[in-house]
Amino acid sequence: MKNSLLFTSILSACFLFGCTLTVKTDNDAAGSTAKIRNGIEIHENGLHAQQAFLTLEDGSLLADNNKVQVGQKVVMRLIIDGWQEENGSIFPEASEKITTDDGEVLVDEPALFEQSLPNGTPSENKEKLTLSAVINQLDKLHDYYLVSFKMWDKK
């Protein structure tokens, strides 16, 4: 069984089969100073998320309401333990799906790292994992976009 993470979020991310994170868009101040921010809720199974939070492309923290402008990149920053190492490398993989509030699928990418990390990445990079999303244009008004990432350990 592969270790993995599951994050669900409104304008954020999703990782499945090991750790579940849900990002809310309301102003829940309870998580605002924790290492798990932006309303992210975690349920783990295998991989362990020490930190998970959202930033803008310039590295500044995203406000707890998780609201961004069209064209602004949202980056989920992750520090994860539990990866199986092989010859000093880890082998993460992730998929991405973006849907609108009415269920329309805008993006469905099954293997984000297939081309960029075919031979894994040095194990010290487990503290530098990021996933990002950006909505570049509006075809009509939506209440929200659900950006979900599924991340797993290929080993």
Side-chain angles (χ1 to χ4, degrees):
M1 182 179 287
K2 296 178 183 175
N3 289 333
S4 61
L5 299 171
L6 171 58
F7 302 78
T8 355
S9 68
I10 295 177
L11 221 68
S12 179
C14 191
F15 298 75
L16 180 58
F17 194 80
C19 198
T20 305
L21 288 82
T22 304
V23 178
K24 302 174 186 175
T25 57
D26 58 71
N27 287 328
D28 180 11
S32 63
T33 60
K35 291 185 180 181
I36 307 296
R37 293 183 44 103
N38 301 97
I40 297 170
E41 297 173 5
I42 300 174
H43 306 280
E44 298 173 331
N45 180 15
L47 295 177
H48 172 68
Q50 292 181 353
Q51 295 187 26
F53 54 92
L54 302 177
T55 70
L56 296 175
E57 191 170 19
D58 66 4
S60 61
L61 289 173
L62 187 64
D64 286 337
N65 65 11
N66 296 341
K67 292 183 181 177
V68 296
Q69 300 297 313
V70 173
Q72 272 188 302
K73 183 185 278 189
V74 176
V75 178
M76 178 171 270
R77 177 81 166 80
L78 303 165
I79 298 178
I80 300 170
D81 286 332
W83 297 102
Q84 276 190 296
E85 291 186 34
E86 184 177 289
N87 299 320
S89 294
I90 59 171
F91 298 83
E93 184 54 271
S95 63
E96 175 183 32
K97 188 172 186 177
I98 301 176
T99 57
T100 65
D101 60 328
D102 60 5
E104 180 184 0
V105 177
L106 302 177
V107 174
D108 193 0
E109 179 59 50
L112 295 173
F113 302 144
E114 186 173 55
Q115 299 298 315
S116 61
L117 298 175
N119 300 313
T121 186
S123 60
E124 60 267 13
N125 288 343
K126 69 183 174 190
E127 299 207 359
K128 300 174 185 169
L129 296 174
T130 61
L131 295 166
S132 61
V134 62
I135 304 298
N136 286 317
Q137 64 183 21
L138 297 176
D139 59 343
K140 63 182 179 178
L141 295 178
H142 295 282
D143 291 332
Y144 62 87
Y145 293 89
L146 177 66
V147 179
S148 56
F149 295 99
K150 175 181 177 183
M151 180 174 271
W152 62 94
D153 186 339
K154 290 192 290 188
K155 294 297 175 177

